[in-house]
C-alpha cells in the first residue's frame, strides 16, 4: 500500500510543481517580450518627436498612459542627466535616478527582472538617437508592469492541482487498501493453513492455488510435510523396533529364570546350561544397546566428524588383525589386496566401525567350511574404493534393498544363532554418508556377496 501510495503521489506532486512553474515562467517571458516590443516602439517615437527635449508632448504622454493602463504598470523616462522627465505616477518627476539598472542600460545593457514576491516585472529599454549614425543612448525607459494576473492564474492552477491531487490521494488510498488486502489474502490463507497443521487440526496437504507463487510455496511446504511425516513414522517404527528388540532377550531370560524357579530340584547341569543361556542373552542385550548408541552417534551431522589424514592401508590391516581370530574360528580365510598406498581425510573411529561391520558380516555369513573374504583397496584422484567380497550364503534379491535398514535381518532365526542385531549395516551406511561416500551391494544367493564402498579422499565440509 505504501509503495502504491509513493508511486502514485510523488510523480503527481512533481508534475504539478513542474506544470505550475513552467506556466509561470512562460507567462512572465511572454509578458516581458510583449512589453519590450511596445517600449521599443515607444522609444522610437520618443526620439522622433523630440520628447527628450520636450517632455510635454501630448501624444507621447497619452501613449505612456495607455501602456501603463494596459499593463497595470508604471513608466519612467530618464534623460542623459539621469533626471526623470516623465513618470506616469508623477511621484519621481524631476528627481535623479541612480538605480543600477538605469546605469547599466546607459552603458548598453538592457535589463529585465521578475520579482515574484512583489509580483512585477521591471525592465529598462534604451532610447537611442535613431537620427544619428552612432545611435547613441540619449535616455532610458524604466518600466515596471504588474504580474498580478499571472500570479492569480498560477494560484488557480495550484488550487486545482491540489484539489485533483487530494482526490487522487483518497482514491489511491482506497485502491491501495483494497489491493493490498486482495494481494495479501492468499498468504494469510497459507498462514492459517500452516497454523491449522501446527495446531493439529488438519492432516492433509494444504492448497492455495491463487497465485503461481502461493502454489509453489504450498507445494514446497507439502513436500516438507511429507518428509516430516515420514521421519515421524520412521521414528515411531524405530522406537517400536527398539522396544521389541530389547524385550526379546529379557523375555528369554525371564523364561529361563522362571523354569529354574519352578523346578527347584533341577539338576546342576540344567542350572549351568540355563545360566549360560541367561549370560548369552545379557551379552546380546549389551550388544544391542552399544549398537544403538553407535547409531545415535552416527545420526549427528557431518560437523561432528573428527577428521584426520590417515593411511587406509594400515587401517584395513589393523581391522583384519583384530578380526583374524573370529575368522579362523569360523574357518574363513582373509585376504587383503592393496593396489596402492592410500591416505585420506576421514574420521578414523567411524570409518573403522563401518568397515569392521561389513567385514565381520562377510565372516559371519560365510560357508561353514573353507570360506574366504577378499578385501581390496584402490583409489583414483578423488575417491578411494574398498570392496569386500565373500564366498558366503548371499542375500536373496528381495532383501538386498532392505539390509541397510535398522533391525533388518534376512533370516531372523539364522541371524539369531550368528548373533546379529540388525543394526550393523545401518551404522555403516550412516558413517559412510557422513563422509559423503556411498555403499553398494552385489549378491548372489548361495554364492557370495560383494560390498563396494566409495569415499572421497579429501573431506568436504
Ligand atoms: P546383523 O547384525 O544381523 O549382521 P546387519 O545390519 O549387519 O545386521 O546386516 C543385516 C542383514 O544383512 C544381516 O542380518 C544378514 O541377513 C544380511 N547380510 C549382511 N551382510 C551379509 C553378507 N556378507 N552375506 C550375507 N548376508 C549378509
Amino acid at each position: 500500500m505504501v509503495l502504491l501510495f509513493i508511486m502514485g503521489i510523488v510523480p503527481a506532486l512533481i508534475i504539478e510543481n513542474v506544470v505550475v512553474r513552467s506556466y509561470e515562467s512562460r507567462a512572465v517571458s511572454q509578458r516581458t517580450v510583449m512589453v519590450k516590443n511596445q517600449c521599443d516602439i515607444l522609444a522610437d517615437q520618443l526620439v522622433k518627436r523630440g520628447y527628450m527635449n520636450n517632455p510635454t508632448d501630448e501624444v507621447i504622454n497619452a501613449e505612456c498612459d495607455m501602456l501603463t493602463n494596459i499593463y497595470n504598470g508604471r513608466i519612467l523616462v530618464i534623460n542623459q542627466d539621469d533626471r526623470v522627465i516623465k513618470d506616469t505616477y508623477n511621484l519621481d518627476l524631476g528627481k535623479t535616478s541612480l538605480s543600477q539598472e538605469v546605469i547599466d542600460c546607459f552603458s548598453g545593457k538592457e535589463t529585465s527582472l521578475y520579482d515574484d514576491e512583489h509580483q512585477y516585472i521591471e525592465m529598462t529599454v534604451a532610447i537611442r538617437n535613431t537620427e544619428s549614425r552612432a545611435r547613441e543612448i540619449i535616455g532610458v525607459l524604466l518600466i515596471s508592469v504588474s504580474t498580478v494576473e499571472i500570479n492569480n492564474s498560477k494560484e488557480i492552477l495550484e488550487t486545482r492541482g491540489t484539489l485533483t491531487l487530494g482526490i487522487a490521494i483518497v482514491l489511491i488510498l482506497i485502491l491501495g487498501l483494497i489491493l493490498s488486502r486482495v494481494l495479501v489474502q492468499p498468504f494469510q490463507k497459507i498462514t492459517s493453513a500452516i497454523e491449522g497443521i501446527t495446531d493439529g487440526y488438519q492432516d492433509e496437504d494444504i492448497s492455495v492455488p491463487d497465485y503461481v507463487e502461493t502454489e509453489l510455496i504450498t507445494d514446497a511446504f507439502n513436500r516438507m510435510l511429507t518428509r516430516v511425516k515420514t521421519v515421524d513414522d520412521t521414528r515411531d517404527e524405530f522406537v517400536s523396533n527398539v522396544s521389541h528388540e530389547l524385550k526379546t532377550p529379557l523375555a528369554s531370560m525371564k523364561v529361563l529364570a522362571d523354569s529354574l524357579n519352578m523346578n527347584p530340584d533341577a539338576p546342576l547341569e540344567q542350572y549351568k546350561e540355563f545360566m549360560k543361556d541367561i549370560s548369552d542373552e545379557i551379552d546380546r542385550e549389551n550388544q544391542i544397546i552399544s549398537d544403538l548408541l553407535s547409531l545415535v552417534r552416527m545420526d549427528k551431522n557431518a560437523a561432528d566428524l573428527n577428521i584426520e589424514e590417515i593411511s587406509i592401508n594400515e587401517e584395513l590391516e589393523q581391522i583384519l588383525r583384530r578380526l583374524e581370530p573370529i575368522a579362523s574360528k569360523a574357518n574363513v580365510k582373509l585376504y587383503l589386496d592393496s593396489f596402492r598406498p592410500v591416505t585420506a581425510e576421514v574420521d578414523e573411529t567411524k570409518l573403522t566401525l563401518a568397515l569392521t561391520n561389513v567385514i565381520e558380516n562377510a565372516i559371519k555369513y560365510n560357508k561353514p567350511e573353507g570360506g574366504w573374504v577378499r578385501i581390496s583397496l584402490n583409489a583414483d584422484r578423488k575417491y578411494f574404493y574398498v570392496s569386500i567380497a565373500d564366498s558366503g550364503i548371499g542375500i536373496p534379491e528381495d532383501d538386498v534393498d532392505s539390509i541397510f535398514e535398522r533391525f533388518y535381518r534376512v533370516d531372523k532365526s539364522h541371524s539369531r544363532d550368528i548373533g546379529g542385531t540388525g543394526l550393523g549395516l545401518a551404522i555403516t551406511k550412516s558413517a559412510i554418508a557422513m563422509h559423503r561416500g556411498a555403499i553398494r551391494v552385489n549378491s548372489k544367493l548361495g554364492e557370495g556377496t560383494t560390498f563396494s564402498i566409495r569415499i572421497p579422499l579429501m573431506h568436504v565440509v
Side-chain angles (χ1 to χ4, degrees):
M1 208 187 100
V2 171
L3 258 178
L4 200 75
F5 189 75
I6 293 170
M7 276 159 61
I9 299 306
V10 172
L13 263 172
I14 295 170
I15 289 169
E16 194 209 355
N17 225 309
V18 168
V19 167
V20 170
R21 294 233 163 273
S22 67
Y23 162 76
E24 189 184 10
S25 73
R26 199 171 144 65
V28 167
S29 74
Q30 261 179 350
R31 172 69 48 96
T32 312
V33 169
M34 231 147 73
V35 174
K36 165 105 174 70
N37 284 344
Q38 301 272 9
C39 289
D40 280 342
I41 295 165
L42 181 66
D44 259 9
Q45 282 176 336
L46 276 173
V47 177
K48 275 188 190 135
R49 294 184 75 91
Y51 190 82
M52 300 313 286
N53 301 321
N54 175 27
T56 51
D57 189 305
E58 286 300 321
V59 178
I60 299 295
N61 282 343
E63 205 155 315
C64 285
D65 290 342
M66 193 185 71
L67 272 178
T68 48
N69 282 341
I70 293 173
Y71 293 115
N72 191 14
R74 181 182 181 186
I75 297 177
L76 275 82
V77 183
I78 298 147
N79 69 10
Q80 263 173 319
D81 306 326
D82 296 328
R83 197 161 297 279
V84 178
I85 58 167
K86 167 74 182 167
D87 175 4
T88 51
Y89 278 13
N90 281 328
L91 291 173
D92 295 332
L93 201 60
K95 288 185 187 166
T96 305
S97 164
L98 286 172
S99 81
Q100 185 59 46
E101 286 81 13
V102 174
I103 296 166
D104 284 351
C105 193
F106 269 118
S107 56
K109 204 175 112 203
E110 290 180 337
T111 58
S112 158
L113 186 135
Y114 171 52
D115 184 336
D116 65 341
E117 195 186 330
H118 299 103
Q119 302 177 9
Y120 69 87
I121 305 167
E122 192 183 74
M123 63 173 92
T124 52
V125 172
I127 305 168
R128 290 176 189 274
N129 187 0
T130 43
E131 252 101 79
S132 81
R133 269 180 154 262
R135 288 174 58 86
E136 75 274 9
I137 297 168
I138 53 169
V140 166
L141 280 173
L142 179 66
I143 313 110
S144 50
V145 289
S146 162
T147 56
V148 170
E149 71 297 5
I150 292 179
N151 268 70
N152 287 348
S153 305
K154 187 180 116 185
E155 268 164 26
I156 292 171
L157 213 66
E158 267 173 349
T159 320
R160 285 192 188 157
T162 316
L163 202 75
T164 320
L165 206 69
I167 296 170
I169 288 177
V170 174
L171 284 178
I172 287 174
L173 270 175
I174 296 170
L175 192 78
L177 216 69
I178 296 170
L179 255 179
S180 57
R181 285 224 168 163
V182 171
L183 287 174
V184 167
Q185 214 170 31
F187 295 97
Q188 282 172 341
K189 275 198 226 165
I190 294 182
T191 314
S192 57
I194 292 176
E195 272 166 4
I197 287 175
T198 318
D199 295 342
Y201 300 138
Q202 203 173 321
D203 214 16
E204 67 256 27
D205 288 353
I206 58 172
S207 162
V208 183
D210 301 33
Y211 305 136
V212 177
E213 287 79 5
T214 53
E215 214 171 338
L216 288 174
I217 293 173
T218 48
D219 283 354
F221 182 81
N222 288 335
R223 279 199 299 279
M224 190 196 79
L225 201 67
T226 316
R227 178 135 178 71
V228 170
K229 278 181 188 156
T230 316
V231 170
D232 214 37
D233 292 347
T234 317
R235 197 196 51 203
D236 289 350
E237 196 188 313
F238 181 62
V239 170
S240 87
N241 280 346
V242 168
S243 323
H244 175 76
E245 294 297 325
L246 289 177
K247 273 174 96 176
T248 318
L250 285 177
S252 306
M253 284 188 264
K254 172 92 173 128
V255 171
L256 290 164
D258 279 355
S259 57
L260 284 181
N261 274 340
M262 280 171 18
N263 188 6
D265 305 326
L268 187 64
E269 274 66 43
Q270 198 178 3
Y271 263 97
K272 277 188 179 165
E273 192 193 327
F274 280 23
M275 285 318 271
K276 187 184 173 296
D277 288 349
I278 289 177
S279 168
D280 286 349
E281 291 299 331
I282 291 172
D283 285 347
R284 195 172 149 65
E285 184 94 30
N286 247 334
Q287 184 61 46
I288 295 173
I289 291 170
S290 63
D291 275 3
L292 274 173
L293 287 175
S294 304
L295 199 62
V296 170
R297 258 178 249 129
M298 294 295 172
D299 265 355
K300 293 191 180 150
N301 56 37
D304 296 310
L305 286 177
N306 183 15
I307 298 293
E308 47 191 334
E309 193 166 329
I310 58 160
S311 156
I312 305 297
N313 309 63
E314 281 174 23
E315 196 59 38
L316 279 171
E317 280 162 23
Q318 210 176 14
I319 294 172
L320 292 195
R321 259 198 307 279
R322 238 182 284 136
L323 292 178
E324 187 55 53
I326 310 174
S328 58
K329 202 169 150 204
N331 249 325
V332 172
K333 279 232 158 326
L334 297 181
Y335 301 99
L336 174 63
D337 303 325
S338 291
F339 289 97
R340 66 188 73 224
V342 180
T343 51
E345 293 173 358
V346 292
D347 181 319
E348 190 179 358
T349 323
K350 293 194 170 73
L351 185 74
T352 308
L353 193 62
L355 293 172
T356 309
N357 283 343
V358 182
I359 302 171
E360 216 177 339
N361 278 350
I363 300 168
K364 276 196 306 191
Y365 303 104
N366 220 310
K367 276 200 196 111
E369 276 305 317
W372 51 259
V373 175
R374 175 153 258 136
I375 297 123
S376 71
L377 169 66
N378 208 342
D380 56 21
R381 277 191 298 172
K382 273 178 122 179
Y383 301 98
F384 70 88
Y385 306 87
V386 182
S387 107
I388 297 126
D390 65 54
S391 60
I393 57 171
I395 304 163
E397 223 179 293
D398 291 348
D399 296 292
V400 169
D401 290 339
S402 312
I403 54 168
F404 293 102
E405 285 169 21
R406 294 155 177 189
F407 295 115
Y408 192 88
R409 274 168 273 165
V410 174
D411 180 348
K412 296 229 172 206
S413 57
H414 193 97
S415 295
R416 180 161 271 275
D417 308 334
I418 296 170
T421 60
L423 291 171
L425 286 181
I427 295 170
T428 299
K429 193 166 182 191
S430 293
I432 290 171
M434 279 174 100
H435 286 87
R436 301 201 186 285
I439 179 163
R440 270 190 309 121
V441 58
N442 231 311
S443 185
K444 216 158 188 193
L445 200 61
E447 284 182 24
T449 308
T450 304
F451 282 90
S452 311
I453 296 168
R454 185 193 73 185
I455 293 175
L457 292 169
M458 309 271 278
H459 178 68
V460 192
V461 181

